[in-house]
Amino acid sequence: MKINGKSFGRFLLYLFVAVLISLFLVIGVSAADGEEEDPPVDPVSYGIYLGGVEVTEENCQDILGDGLSKYDPETNTLTMKGGNIVGAVVAERDGGKYSLWSEREGLQVEITGTVDFTYGIYLASGNVTVRGAVLSFVGASGGTTCITAETGSISILEHSIVTVKDGEETFRYTYAFSAGTTLEIRNSSVKYDVDLMECDIFLRAGGSMQLTNAWVDAKNVRLFLLTEGGKLTVTDTSFLAVTGCYRGMQLGGDADFRDSTVSLNTYYSGILLNPIGGTTFRAQKCNFTLRASDYEALKTEVLIPSWNAGIANTSYGSLNDFLVVCHADYNTAEASLEHSGMYANQSTVDFSDCNLTVTGYTTGLFFRSRGEKLSLRAGSTLRATCRKAAFVALVADTDTVSFGSRVKGDAELLILPAGKILGDYGQYLVTLVLRDDTLKTERDVAIGSPQMVLDAYTGFAAKVGIETDDLRALSLAVPLIALFLAVLAAVGVYYIYTRICKKKKTAALPEEKSDEQKTEEEKGNDQHD
């Protein structure tokens, strides 16, 4: 084959082009291999954990994959319609475990249906609404709350049933239910059924607390109910009961009880109004039962079981050391005003149509006033069996204590000038004494604290049963009506009597003759007249 120069040149050109293209392809592939791929984009997270699962934009429509919980970013609302929430997240703030934990601003949580939480709910910000739900907390170890809305509210509404019960391990709660603002329980029940005293505060509200047709039943808590400044309202046949707790109610603001029942079985105080004063406590048509158990009950029902559960072992060397410290704390409380069925300092207290039963405390009702009034009126009753006194008041004015218009029962109200002994604590001592007893001064020196008045006198009525009565419009109406009818009857009798007498007098007068019957002499006399 004969190859000319022209063909050979063309061949070399084609070969050069092919080599050049191959080179460019190799360089391109190498460059492509050298380029880094863009990192995968993480889904948007919302700072919410439910059942140990972080809520993101990818799973927010079905957080746990069971179709029962979702989060709407537009309304900032987490909705739960049921489920068994087993998993948890460990919070850095306290190392506790939480089935629902959120640091999202203003989160709204709405719970309906039947929901079981192994651990509790904590919201740094936002509100929790339980509506028509059956909600339970098992009480597994590791958390510090059932529901806490740090800066928000808690609402348990529309025939919801909320239960807290023991799990396999002891659950140490700081709060069972704690709201930074408002705590509301309406037409619902809340029950705390835990054998060991491992809850510091059961119900707590930084603002107001509203219990309307609410059934609240608890046991073994250190403090049953706390308001830190807002108003407590208990109405519409609500029932509040606690057994085996250190303290019943500590109220930092006003309180209004109506048509409800309160039963507090405590070891220390029953109802403590704001020690600083300036609050108002009103109750109408209510039943209060305040009962204090002694130290032996505290030891056997709470202290020893707690020790056996291993709770106290980390702080005390032995059970005996633990009991010695606890007994000293109990004696301190017993010797102070803390061991009262109700203690009110410079606050207004008004019971109307109420029944009070106070048992076991050092003092039943202890009242200190610089012008505020305490009233037990309109058919109220007080039955007390206390260690030293059923009722003691240190007041500046004699009219600051009112037990209605009259007191019926085995005791009477005594007002005693005692400015020298009371000193800065008042000018008058008002108390109840039995009708056959007298109040005697044990020492004629000024007391150093309000509770020392119990040692300055003897003769306080410790066991009493009295009923107060007021002159009401209804009670006055019957005698006034009877008096009116009596006066009316008397007027009627007088009117009839005068009419009869007038007729008799008229009948006794001689009948006047007509002009035709008169003689000429009589007619002349008439003309003369």
Side-chain angles (χ1 to χ4, degrees), residues 187 211-215 232-240 255-263 281-288 350-355:
N187 300 326
L211 308 178
T212 305
N213 189 23
W215 183 287
L232 170 65
T233 304
V234 182
T235 62
D236 295 350
T237 65
S238 290
F239 177 80
L240 311 182
D256 183 12
F257 290 78
R258 284 180 282 116
D259 302 302
S260 297
T261 299
V262 177
S263 177
F281 181 99
R282 299 188 187 280
Q284 182 179 15
K285 295 182 180 179
C286 293
N287 295 313
F288 290 87
D350 183 35
F351 291 98
S352 176
D353 280 324
C354 291
N355 297 316

CSV table of all heavy atoms in Angstrom, one decimal, residues 187 211-215 232-240 255-263 281-288 350-355:
chain,number,residue,atom,x,y,z
A,187,ASN,N,-63.7,20.7,86.6
A,187,ASN,CA,-64.5,19.6,86.3
A,187,ASN,C,-63.6,18.3,86.0
A,187,ASN,O,-63.9,17.5,85.1
A,187,ASN,CB,-65.4,19.8,85.1
A,187,ASN,CG,-66.4,21.0,85.3
A,187,ASN,OD1,-66.8,21.2,86.4
A,187,ASN,ND2,-66.6,21.7,84.2
A,211,LEU,N,-59.6,26.2,91.3
A,211,LEU,CA,-60.1,24.8,91.4
A,211,LEU,C,-61.6,24.9,91.4
A,211,LEU,O,-62.2,25.3,92.4
A,211,LEU,CB,-59.6,24.1,92.7
A,211,LEU,CG,-58.1,24.2,92.9
A,211,LEU,CD1,-57.7,23.6,94.2
A,211,LEU,CD2,-57.3,23.6,91.7
A,212,THR,N,-62.2,24.4,90.3
A,212,THR,CA,-63.7,24.5,90.1
A,212,THR,C,-64.2,23.1,89.9
A,212,THR,O,-63.9,22.4,88.9
A,212,THR,CB,-64.0,25.4,88.9
A,212,THR,OG1,-63.4,26.7,89.1
A,212,THR,CG2,-65.5,25.6,88.8
A,213,ASN,N,-65.1,22.7,90.8
A,213,ASN,CA,-65.6,21.3,90.7
A,213,ASN,C,-64.5,20.3,90.5
A,213,ASN,O,-64.5,19.5,89.6
A,213,ASN,CB,-66.7,21.2,89.6
A,213,ASN,CG,-67.4,19.8,89.6
A,213,ASN,OD1,-67.4,19.2,90.7
A,213,ASN,ND2,-67.9,19.4,88.5
A,214,ALA,N,-63.5,20.5,91.3
A,214,ALA,CA,-62.2,19.7,91.2
A,214,ALA,C,-62.1,18.7,92.3
A,214,ALA,O,-62.5,19.0,93.4
A,214,ALA,CB,-61.0,20.6,91.2
A,215,TRP,N,-61.6,17.5,92.0
A,215,TRP,CA,-61.4,16.5,93.0
A,215,TRP,C,-59.9,16.3,93.0
A,215,TRP,O,-59.3,15.7,92.1
A,215,TRP,CB,-62.1,15.2,92.6
A,215,TRP,CG,-62.0,14.1,93.6
A,215,TRP,CD1,-60.8,13.4,93.9
A,215,TRP,CD2,-63.0,13.6,94.6
A,215,TRP,NE1,-61.1,12.5,94.9
A,215,TRP,CE2,-62.4,12.6,95.3
A,215,TRP,CE3,-64.3,14.0,94.8
A,215,TRP,CZ2,-63.0,11.9,96.3
A,215,TRP,CZ3,-65.0,13.3,95.8
A,215,TRP,CH2,-64.3,12.3,96.5
A,232,LEU,N,-56.1,32.1,95.3
A,232,LEU,CA,-56.6,30.8,95.3
A,232,LEU,C,-58.1,30.8,95.3
A,232,LEU,O,-58.7,31.4,96.2
A,232,LEU,CB,-56.1,30.0,96.5
A,232,LEU,CG,-56.7,28.6,96.7
A,232,LEU,CD1,-56.4,27.7,95.5
A,232,LEU,CD2,-56.3,28.0,98.0
A,233,THR,N,-58.8,30.2,94.3
A,233,THR,CA,-60.2,30.1,94.3
A,233,THR,C,-60.6,28.6,94.2
A,233,THR,O,-60.2,27.9,93.4
A,233,THR,CB,-60.8,30.8,93.1
A,233,THR,OG1,-60.3,32.2,93.0
A,233,THR,CG2,-62.3,30.8,93.1
A,234,VAL,N,-61.5,28.2,95.2
A,234,VAL,CA,-61.9,26.8,95.3
A,234,VAL,C,-63.5,26.9,95.4
A,234,VAL,O,-64.0,27.4,96.4
A,234,VAL,CB,-61.4,26.1,96.5
A,234,VAL,CG1,-61.9,24.7,96.6
A,234,VAL,CG2,-59.8,26.2,96.5
A,235,THR,N,-64.2,26.4,94.3
A,235,THR,CA,-65.6,26.6,94.3
A,235,THR,C,-66.3,25.4,93.7
A,235,THR,O,-65.7,24.4,93.2
A,235,THR,CB,-66.0,27.8,93.4
A,235,THR,OG1,-65.5,27.6,92.0
A,235,THR,CG2,-65.3,29.1,93.9
A,236,ASP,N,-67.6,25.4,93.7
A,236,ASP,CA,-68.5,24.5,93.0
A,236,ASP,C,-68.2,23.0,93.4
A,236,ASP,O,-67.9,22.2,92.6
A,236,ASP,CB,-68.3,24.6,91.5
A,236,ASP,CG,-68.8,25.9,91.0
A,236,ASP,OD1,-69.4,26.7,91.7
A,236,ASP,OD2,-68.5,26.2,89.8
A,237,THR,N,-68.4,22.8,94.7
A,237,THR,CA,-68.3,21.4,95.3
A,237,THR,C,-67.0,20.8,95.0
A,237,THR,O,-66.9,19.6,94.8
A,237,THR,CB,-69.5,20.5,94.8
A,237,THR,OG1,-69.3,20.3,93.4
A,237,THR,CG2,-70.8,21.1,95.1
A,238,SER,N,-65.9,21.5,95.1
A,238,SER,CA,-64.6,21.0,95.0
A,238,SER,C,-64.3,20.2,96.2
A,238,SER,O,-64.8,20.4,97.3
A,238,SER,CB,-63.6,22.0,94.8
A,238,SER,OG,-63.7,22.6,93.5
A,239,PHE,N,-63.4,19.2,96.1
A,239,PHE,CA,-63.0,18.3,97.2
A,239,PHE,C,-61.5,18.2,97.2
A,239,PHE,O,-60.9,17.7,96.2
A,239,PHE,CB,-63.6,16.9,97.1
A,239,PHE,CG,-63.2,16.0,98.2
A,239,PHE,CD1,-63.8,16.0,99.4
A,239,PHE,CD2,-62.2,15.1,97.9
A,239,PHE,CE1,-63.4,15.2,100.4
A,239,PHE,CE2,-61.8,14.2,98.9
A,239,PHE,CZ,-62.4,14.2,100.2
A,240,LEU,N,-60.9,18.7,98.2
A,240,LEU,CA,-59.4,18.7,98.4
A,240,LEU,C,-59.0,17.9,99.6
A,240,LEU,O,-59.5,18.1,100.7
A,240,LEU,CB,-58.8,20.1,98.5
A,240,LEU,CG,-59.3,21.2,97.5
A,240,LEU,CD1,-58.6,22.5,97.8
A,240,LEU,CD2,-59.0,20.7,96.1
A,255,ALA,N,-57.5,34.2,99.2
A,255,ALA,CA,-58.1,32.9,99.0
A,255,ALA,C,-59.6,33.0,99.2
A,255,ALA,O,-60.1,33.8,100.0
A,255,ALA,CB,-57.6,31.9,100.1
A,256,ASP,N,-60.3,32.3,98.3
A,256,ASP,CA,-61.8,32.4,98.3
A,256,ASP,C,-62.3,30.9,98.2
A,256,ASP,O,-62.1,30.3,97.1
A,256,ASP,CB,-62.3,33.2,97.2
A,256,ASP,CG,-63.8,33.4,97.2
A,256,ASP,OD1,-64.5,33.0,98.1
A,256,ASP,OD2,-64.4,33.9,96.1
A,257,PHE,N,-63.0,30.4,99.2
A,257,PHE,CA,-63.5,29.1,99.2
A,257,PHE,C,-65.0,29.2,99.3
A,257,PHE,O,-65.6,29.9,100.1
A,257,PHE,CB,-63.1,28.3,100.5
A,257,PHE,CG,-61.6,27.9,100.4
A,257,PHE,CD1,-60.6,28.8,100.7
A,257,PHE,CD2,-61.2,26.6,100.1
A,257,PHE,CE1,-59.3,28.5,100.7
A,257,PHE,CE2,-59.9,26.2,100.1
A,257,PHE,CZ,-58.9,27.2,100.4
A,258,ARG,N,-65.7,28.4,98.4
A,258,ARG,CA,-67.2,28.4,98.4
A,258,ARG,C,-67.7,27.1,98.0
A,258,ARG,O,-67.3,26.5,97.1
A,258,ARG,CB,-67.7,29.5,97.4
A,258,ARG,CG,-67.6,30.9,97.9
A,258,ARG,CD,-68.1,31.9,96.9
A,258,ARG,NE,-67.2,32.2,95.8
A,258,ARG,CZ,-67.4,31.9,94.5
A,258,ARG,NH1,-68.5,31.3,94.2
A,258,ARG,NH2,-66.5,32.1,93.6
A,259,ASP,N,-68.7,26.6,98.9
A,259,ASP,CA,-69.4,25.3,98.6
A,259,ASP,C,-68.4,24.2,98.3
A,259,ASP,O,-68.6,23.5,97.3
A,259,ASP,CB,-70.3,25.5,97.4
A,259,ASP,CG,-71.3,26.6,97.6
A,259,ASP,OD1,-72.1,26.5,98.5
A,259,ASP,OD2,-71.3,27.6,96.8
A,260,SER,N,-67.4,24.0,99.2
A,260,SER,CA,-66.4,23.0,98.9
A,260,SER,C,-66.0,22.3,100.2
A,260,SER,O,-66.4,22.8,101.3
A,260,SER,CB,-65.2,23.6,98.3
A,260,SER,OG,-65.5,24.1,97.0
A,261,THR,N,-65.2,21.2,100.1
A,261,THR,CA,-64.8,20.5,101.3
A,261,THR,C,-63.3,20.4,101.2
A,261,THR,O,-62.7,20.0,100.2
A,261,THR,CB,-65.4,19.1,101.3
A,261,THR,OG1,-66.8,19.2,101.3
A,261,THR,CG2,-64.9,18.2,102.4
A,262,VAL,N,-62.6,20.6,102.4
A,262,VAL,CA,-61.2,20.5,102.5
A,262,VAL,C,-60.8,19.6,103.7
A,262,VAL,O,-61.3,19.9,104.8
A,262,VAL,CB,-60.6,21.9,102.7
A,262,VAL,CG1,-59.1,21.8,102.9
A,262,VAL,CG2,-60.9,22.8,101.5
A,263,SER,N,-60.0,18.6,103.4
A,263,SER,CA,-59.6,17.7,104.5
A,263,SER,C,-58.0,17.6,104.4
A,263,SER,O,-57.5,17.1,103.4
A,263,SER,CB,-60.2,16.4,104.3
A,263,SER,OG,-59.8,15.4,105.3
A,281,PHE,N,-58.7,35.9,103.5
A,281,PHE,CA,-59.1,34.5,103.4
A,281,PHE,C,-60.6,34.5,103.7
A,281,PHE,O,-61.1,34.9,104.8
A,281,PHE,CB,-58.4,33.6,104.4
A,281,PHE,CG,-58.8,32.2,104.4
A,281,PHE,CD1,-58.0,31.3,103.7
A,281,PHE,CD2,-59.9,31.8,105.0
A,281,PHE,CE1,-58.4,29.9,103.7
A,281,PHE,CE2,-60.3,30.4,105.0
A,281,PHE,CZ,-59.5,29.5,104.4
A,282,ARG,N,-61.4,34.1,102.7
A,282,ARG,CA,-62.9,34.1,102.8
A,282,ARG,C,-63.4,32.7,102.5
A,282,ARG,O,-63.0,32.1,101.5
A,282,ARG,CB,-63.6,35.1,102.0
A,282,ARG,CG,-63.2,36.5,102.2
A,282,ARG,CD,-64.0,37.5,101.5
A,282,ARG,NE,-63.5,38.9,101.6
A,282,ARG,CZ,-63.7,39.7,102.7
A,282,ARG,NH1,-64.5,39.2,103.7
A,282,ARG,NH2,-63.3,40.9,102.8
A,283,ALA,N,-64.3,32.2,103.3
A,283,ALA,CA,-64.9,30.9,103.1
A,283,ALA,C,-66.4,30.9,103.4
A,283,ALA,O,-66.8,31.5,104.4
A,283,ALA,CB,-64.3,29.8,104.0
A,284,GLN,N,-67.2,30.4,102.5
A,284,GLN,CA,-68.6,30.4,102.6
A,284,GLN,C,-69.2,29.0,102.3
A,284,GLN,O,-68.9,28.4,101.2
A,284,GLN,CB,-69.3,31.5,101.7
A,284,GLN,CG,-70.8,31.6,101.8
A,284,GLN,CD,-71.3,32.7,100.9
A,284,GLN,OE1,-70.7,33.1,100.0
A,284,GLN,NE2,-72.6,33.0,101.2
A,285,LYS,N,-70.0,28.5,103.2
A,285,LYS,CA,-70.7,27.2,103.0
A,285,LYS,C,-69.6,26.1,102.7
A,285,LYS,O,-69.7,25.4,101.7
A,285,LYS,CB,-71.7,27.3,101.9
A,285,LYS,CG,-72.9,28.2,102.2
A,285,LYS,CD,-73.9,28.2,101.2
A,285,LYS,CE,-75.1,29.1,101.5
A,285,LYS,NZ,-76.1,29.2,100.5
A,286,CYS,N,-68.6,26.0,103.5
A,286,CYS,CA,-67.6,25.0,103.3
A,286,CYS,C,-67.4,24.1,104.6
A,286,CYS,O,-67.7,24.6,105.7
A,286,CYS,CB,-66.2,25.7,103.0
A,286,CYS,SG,-66.2,26.5,101.4
A,287,ASN,N,-66.8,23.0,104.4
A,287,ASN,CA,-66.4,22.1,105.5
A,287,ASN,C,-64.9,22.0,105.5
A,287,ASN,O,-64.3,21.5,104.5
A,287,ASN,CB,-67.0,20.7,105.4
A,287,ASN,CG,-68.6,20.8,105.5
A,287,ASN,OD1,-69.1,21.4,106.4
A,287,ASN,ND2,-69.3,20.1,104.6
A,288,PHE,N,-64.3,22.3,106.6
A,288,PHE,CA,-62.8,22.2,106.8
A,288,PHE,C,-62.5,21.2,107.9
A,288,PHE,O,-63.0,21.3,109.0
A,288,PHE,CB,-62.2,23.5,107.2
A,288,PHE,CG,-62.2,24.6,106.1
A,288,PHE,CD1,-63.3,25.4,105.9
A,288,PHE,CD2,-61.1,24.7,105.2
A,288,PHE,CE1,-63.3,26.3,104.9
A,288,PHE,CE2,-61.1,25.6,104.2
A,288,PHE,CZ,-62.2,26.5,104.0
A,350,ASP,N,-62.5,35.4,107.2
A,350,ASP,CA,-64.0,35.4,107.3
A,350,ASP,C,-64.6,34.1,106.9
A,350,ASP,O,-64.5,33.6,105.8
A,350,ASP,CB,-64.6,36.5,106.3
A,350,ASP,CG,-66.1,36.7,106.5
A,350,ASP,OD1,-66.6,36.5,107.6
A,350,ASP,OD2,-66.7,36.9,105.5
A,351,PHE,N,-65.2,33.4,107.9
A,351,PHE,CA,-65.9,32.2,107.7
A,351,PHE,C,-67.4,32.5,107.9
A,351,PHE,O,-67.8,33.1,108.8
A,351,PHE,CB,-65.5,31.1,108.8
A,351,PHE,CG,-64.1,30.6,108.7
A,351,PHE,CD1,-63.1,31.1,109.5
A,351,PHE,CD2,-63.8,29.6,107.8
A,351,PHE,CE1,-61.8,30.7,109.4
A,351,PHE,CE2,-62.5,29.1,107.7
A,351,PHE,CZ,-61.5,29.6,108.5
A,352,SER,N,-68.2,32.0,106.9
A,352,SER,CA,-69.6,32.2,106.9
A,352,SER,C,-70.3,30.9,106.5
A,352,SER,O,-70.0,30.3,105.5
A,352,SER,CB,-70.0,33.3,105.9
A,352,SER,OG,-71.4,33.4,105.8
A,353,ASP,N,-71.2,30.4,107.4
A,353,ASP,CA,-71.8,29.1,107.2
A,353,ASP,C,-70.8,28.0,106.9
A,353,ASP,O,-71.0,27.2,106.0
A,353,ASP,CB,-72.8,29.2,106.0
A,353,ASP,CG,-74.1,29.9,106.4
A,353,ASP,OD1,-74.6,29.7,107.5
A,353,ASP,OD2,-74.7,30.7,105.6
A,354,CYS,N,-69.8,28.0,107.7
A,354,CYS,CA,-68.7,27.0,107.6
A,354,CYS,C,-68.7,26.1,108.8
A,354,CYS,O,-69.0,26.5,109.9
A,354,CYS,CB,-67.4,27.6,107.4
A,354,CYS,SG,-67.2,28.5,105.8
A,355,ASN,N,-68.2,24.9,108.6
A,355,ASN,CA,-67.9,23.9,109.7
A,355,ASN,C,-66.4,23.7,109.8
A,355,ASN,O,-65.8,23.2,108.8
A,355,ASN,CB,-68.7,22.6,109.5
A,355,ASN,CG,-70.2,22.8,109.5
A,355,ASN,OD1,-70.7,23.5,110.3
A,355,ASN,ND2,-70.9,22.2,108.6
